[in-house]
Amino acid sequence: MSTTVADRVLERLREWGVEQVFGYPGDGINGLVGAFSRADDQPRFIQARHEEMAAFEAVGYAKYGGKPGVCMATSGPGAIHLLNGLYDAKLDHVPVVAIVGQTNRTAMGGSYQQEVDLLSLFKDVAGDYVQMVTVPEQIPNVVDRAMRIAMARRAPTAVIIPNDVQELDYAPPTHEFKMVPSSLGISWPSVAADDDSVRAAADVLNAGSRVAILVGQGARGAAVEVEQVADLLGAGVAKALLGKDVLSDELPFVTGSIGLLGTRPSYEMMSDCDTLLTVGSNFPYTQFLPDLDQARAVQIDLDGTLIGMRYPYEVNLVGDARATLRALLPLLTRKEDRRWREDLEHKISRWWEVMEAEALVAAKPVNPMRIFSEFSKQAPGNAMITSDSGSAANWYARQVRMRDDMRGSLSGTLATMGAAVPYAIGAKFAHPDRPAIAFEGDGAMQMNGLAELLTIARYHHEWSDPRLVVAVLHNNDLNQVTWELRAMGGTPSFIESQALPDTSYADFAASVGLGAVTVTDPEQLEDAWRQALSADRPFVLDVHCDPDVPPIPPHATLEQMTDMAQALIKGDSSRWGVIKEGLKTKAQELLPHSHDDN
Ligand SMILES: Cc1ncc(C[n+]2csc(CCOP(=O)(O)OP(=O)(O)O)c2C)c(N)n1
Ligand SMILES: [Mg+2]
C-alpha cells in the first residue's frame, strides 16, 4: 500500500518522539484519522470531549512533561474550538503544535461548507508559524518547522492540511530548485550572558543591602543557583504564580507567591527592598514590584524580546537562568549583615501560621481555604497540581506549600476558566506514574470539567498511578467575579449573572465510574483527602464551601476589607459573625511585626 501524506505526517511525529495527539475528529481530518488507524494508533489519538479541551490537554502535557504538546482538530468549527487553548499556550509561552484539516483544495474560495480562512484565523495565535500544506513535498519540512519553532519560541504553531492533500501519495522533496528538504531534532545551547554585563549585574547586587529576588517559570532548573544567590545576598525570594514550583516553600527565605494572589511577605519585601533581581519572570503587575525609583534592579531572561520591561532595570542580562546565575555567583560578596534576611524569615514563618489560622476559621459549611491546607499537609511529594481560574487560584497560590518534586501550574496569563481538568489529563499522559490534582470551581466544572470527567473515565486504566483528584469548590456561585464586583465599588452580588444551578459533582463522577465523596463538614476533609489520595481510580471531592470567604489581596488595608464585608452583608447580614472572625484572623497579618513576639 502506498504512503499518503497523512501517513508521512504521523510517521514524522513519531520520529519527533510524539506519543500522543490530543484531538477530536471530523471530515476535514478524515485522511489523518485513517492514517492513525493504519499506524496502529501510533502516536495515540487521545479523544477529548471538545477541541478546546484537546488544546488544554496539549498545554498541560507540555507544561508538566517538558515536551511539545500536539493537538488536532477538523476544519471550521473544530479549528475554531482550539483557539482558547492555543492562546493559553501563547500567553504562558508553551510549545504546542496544532494540526488542523481544511476543505479540499477544489472547494477553497467557494464559500464551501465549513470553509473558514484558517491562515487568517491562526495568524495571531500561531503567528510564529502557521502554514498550509498544499503539495506532498512540503512534508516533512512544515511539520519539522512547526515542531522546532514551537520549541524555540515556546509558542503555539499551526499546520493546516486540506483533506484531499492528506490523501495524496507522499513524495519527498528532491534535490531541485524550490524544494526544501528538512532534518530532525534540535540541540540547545547554554546561553550565558556576556562577562562585562554579568560583572555590572554583580556590582548592582553587591551594592544593595536589602535584596529581593523574583523568580518565574524561566528559573525552573536553576533552583540550586537561586538558593545560593539568595544565601550570598541575604535575600528573600518571591515566586510569580507560574514559577510557584521553582523553589520549595519549606525554604525559610521563600516569601511565596506575589501579586493580587500573593502573600504579604512578598508584598512587604518588594515594598521595602533597595535591590531587585528578577530571574525568568515576566510577572506583569508592576504595582507589586518596588516603586520605580526605589530599587536598583537586574533582570535575567532567556528571551531578549521580553527582557527589560515592567521595571526600569539597570542591567538586562539575556541568558539561561542557570548558566547566568552560575557566572554571577563567584562575583557576589556575601552580605554579612543578615538582619534583612532574618526579618523576612520571621515574617514568612508568621505568615504560614496566619494562613493556617485563616483556613481554620469556621464557615458555612466549609472554609474553602481548608480544602487547600488539608491537601497541602497530605500532598504526595511528586504531585502535579493545577488550579482553575476562579477563587481556587487564590487559595492555590497562598495555601499550597510546594516541596520535594511537586509541580504546579495553571492558566497564568490568559487566566481562562476550564483549564484545570484538561491540564491534569495532559499531565497524566506526560507522567502516568505521578498523581495529579486539579482544584476547580463549580462554574468551570459546569463549563467543561464535568464533560471531561468522561475522558478521565475512559483513559485512567492506562495510567500506572491511577490517581487524579478533582477537588470541586462547590459554592453555587461564580465567586471570584462576585468578589471582584464587591471590591469594585461595593456592588452586591447580582444573582442573574453570578448564581449557578446546583448539581452534584460527586453523583456525576460516581455515575461514570470514578471515586467520589461529598464533603459538607470541614472535619471530613482530612479523611476525604486521604481517601482520594489512596484511591485506585480518579476521584472527585465535591466540597460544599462558603462563597462568603473573601479572597483578600495582600495589600488590602483593614478599611478596604471592611468595605468588602459591608458590600457582602448588604446581601445577607446574618453572615456578619463569620466575616468578622475571618477579618480578625486576617488582621493579625497587618499588625506590626516584631522580633520579640514569637
Ligand atoms: C473563559 C472565561 N470566562 C469567564 C472568565 C471570568 N471569570 C474568572 S473567574 C470566574 C468565576 C469562576 O467561577 P467558578 O468556576 O465557580 O469558581 P469560584 O470563583 O466560584 O470558586 C469568571 C466568570 C474567565 N476567566 N474565563
Ligand atoms: Mg463557584
Side-chain angles (χ1 to χ4, degrees):
M1 200 172 52
S2 62
T3 300
T4 65
V5 167
D7 294 325
R8 183 68 184 118
V9 167
L10 294 194
E11 184 181 43
R12 198 58 169 176
L13 292 178
R14 284 194 297 279
E15 288 165 0
W16 273 103
V18 174
E19 290 172 344
Q20 287 93 9
V21 174
F22 300 94
Y24 205 82
D27 71 354
I29 51 169
N30 276 351
L32 283 159
V33 171
F36 275 98
S37 83
R38 283 192 295 281
D40 268 345
D41 203 17
Q42 293 295 324
R44 293 227 29 218
F45 188 101
I46 306 295
Q47 187 209 63
R49 299 311 91 224
H50 185 297
E51 293 84 352
E52 183 177 320
M53 300 301 103
F56 284 146
E57 279 151 24
V59 179
Y61 179 87
K63 281 189 167 187
Y64 294 87
K67 294 196 288 185
V70 181
C71 56
M72 191 175 281
T74 189
S75 51
I80 293 166
H81 270 178
L82 286 180
L83 280 180
N84 198 41
L86 296 181
Y87 271 107
D88 185 41
K90 180 183 170 83
L91 270 63
D92 276 359
H93 306 291
V94 181
V96 168
V97 176
I99 300 175
V100 295
Q102 177 57 296
T103 190
N104 288 19
R105 287 168 299 168
T106 49
M108 275 185 203
S111 296
Y112 212 70
Q113 194 215 17
Q114 293 193 336
E115 189 191 357
V116 168
D117 179 356
L118 295 180
L119 282 168
S120 300
L121 184 80
F122 287 122
K123 195 68 209 170
D124 181 44
V125 72
D128 284 291
Y129 193 71
V130 47
Q131 200 51 244
M132 175 134 66
V133 177
T134 54
V135 294
E137 289 84 351
Q138 283 173 276
I139 305 291
N141 182 47
V142 171
V143 171
D144 293 350
R145 296 213 67 207
M147 292 293 293
R148 247 192 308 263
I149 291 172
M151 288 186 271
R153 300 254 166 86
R154 296 172 296 123
T157 56
V159 177
I160 303 161
I161 317 180
N163 193 39
D164 62 319
V165 176
Q166 295 163 28
E167 297 186 283
L168 294 177
D169 282 346
Y170 178 64
T174 59
H175 192 240
E176 277 172 41
F177 190 41
K178 301 211 171 169
M179 287 286 182
V180 187
S182 180
S183 61
L184 205 60
I186 188 161
S187 53
W188 303 102
S190 167
V191 187
D194 95 282
D195 291 346
D196 287 346
S197 313
V198 173
R199 187 162 296 283
D203 289 345
V204 171
L205 298 171
N206 286 333
S209 53
R210 298 186 308 279
V211 184
I213 300 179
L214 169 63
V215 297
Q217 60 172 341
R220 185 166 296 122
V224 172
E225 289 75 12
V226 171
E227 205 178 321
Q228 288 168 352
V229 169
D231 181 50
L232 282 176
L233 296 176
V237 185
K239 303 184 290 185
L241 206 47
L242 285 172
K244 182 174 165 74
D245 56 359
V246 164
L247 273 191
S248 166
D249 284 304
E250 309 229 301
L251 296 170
F253 55 89
V254 171
T255 60
S257 52
I258 180 172
L260 271 179
L261 312 184
T263 70
R264 195 154 181 94
S266 295
Y267 180 74
E268 290 182 350
M269 175 172 73
M270 290 299 167
S271 307
D272 297 340
C273 70
D274 65 6
T275 309
L276 170 67
L277 169 63
T278 301
V279 185
S281 172
N282 195 19
F283 174 72
Y285 302 112
T286 303
Q287 75 269 32
F288 289 95
L289 297 179
D291 271 347
L292 299 185
D293 57 357
Q294 175 191 325
R296 296 181 69 193
V298 172
Q299 184 170 26
I300 299 172
D301 205 288
L302 190 54
D303 191 339
T305 67
L306 291 174
I307 205 164
M309 52 177 182
R310 322 281 194 220
Y311 198 75
Y313 290 100
E314 205 169 312
V315 185
N316 288 313
L317 292 175
V318 176
D320 166 76
R322 189 158 181 229
T324 309
L325 290 174
R326 283 189 170 185
L328 194 56
L329 273 163
L331 306 179
L332 297 177
T333 326
R334 187 181 162 83
K335 302 222 186 285
E336 295 307 335
D337 183 346
R338 309 302 283 183
R339 277 176 300 177
W340 164 251
R341 165 91 153 217
E342 283 159 13
D343 183 50
L344 288 171
E345 292 189 3
H346 176 70
K347 285 173 176 162
I348 293 162
S349 71
R350 187 181 164 115
W351 159 263
W352 285 113
E353 284 165 19
V354 174
M355 282 300 92
E356 183 61 18
E358 279 198 45
L360 292 175
V361 169
K364 201 167 106 183
V366 176
N367 180 337
M369 292 185 224
R370 187 139 171 209
I371 307 170
F372 294 76
S373 65
E374 287 292 349
F375 163 72
S376 210
K377 285 176 201 147
Q378 297 185 35
N382 61 349
M384 304 181 287
I385 309 166
T386 181
S387 160
D388 216 80
S389 298
S391 66
N394 297 273
W395 322 130
Y396 162 74
R398 299 204 189 101
Q399 289 279 353
V400 173
R401 286 185 84 147
M402 288 289 169
R403 61 179 150 73
D404 305 327
D405 296 324
M406 288 183 194
R407 288 293 318 274
S409 194
L410 75 183
S411 171
T413 319
L414 186 63
T416 177
M417 282 172 72
V421 172
Y423 266 27
I425 295 171
K428 288 297 292 186
F429 278 103
H431 297 292
D433 56 343
R434 295 173 66 164
I437 292 88
F439 293 97
E440 174 135 335
D442 44 6
M445 283 305 283
Q446 294 184 12
M447 192 176 262
N448 54 36
L450 276 172
E452 216 50 22
L453 291 182
L454 290 162
T455 306
I456 294 172
R458 173 168 177 170
Y459 290 108
H460 74 83
H461 306 283
E462 301 176 14
W463 301 327
S464 54
D465 180 330
R467 293 173 297 173
L468 189 171
V469 184
V470 180
V472 182
L473 278 68
H474 186 156
N475 53 20
N476 295 327
D477 186 45
L478 295 170
N479 197 236
Q480 178 68 19
V481 173
T482 299
W483 277 107
E484 285 163 7
L485 289 165
R486 283 181 184 135
M488 235 185 38
T491 313
S493 186
F494 177 53
I495 300 294
E496 287 307 315
S497 70
Q498 301 311 111
L500 289 169
D502 191 27
T503 189
S504 167
Y505 305 91
D507 285 357
F508 182 87
S511 78
V512 299
L514 305 184
V517 156
T518 302
V519 176
T520 52
D521 178 337
E523 295 308 320
Q524 278 174 274
L525 271 174
E526 191 183 335
D527 274 352
W529 271 118
R530 192 163 298 123
Q531 203 183 336
L533 290 170
S534 57
D536 63 354
R537 68 191 63 197
F539 211 93
V540 169
L541 290 179
D542 181 350
V543 188
H544 290 231
C545 59
D546 193 335
D548 290 346
V549 173
I552 295 173
H555 58 309
T557 59
L558 273 177
E559 292 71 39
Q560 284 165 329
M561 291 184 211
T562 313
D563 282 352
M564 284 166 94
Q566 297 289 0
L568 171 58
I569 59 168
K570 274 185 205 164
D572 179 2
S573 56
S574 69
R575 304 311 317 282
W576 181 236
V578 170
I579 297 158
K580 207 165 67 181
E581 178 66 14
L583 287 180
K584 214 167 74 194
T585 315
K586 189 89 204 165
Q588 290 181 28
E589 281 177 72
L590 293 174
L591 300 176
H593 297 171
S594 105
H595 285 290
D596 312 323
D597 59 0
N598 53 355

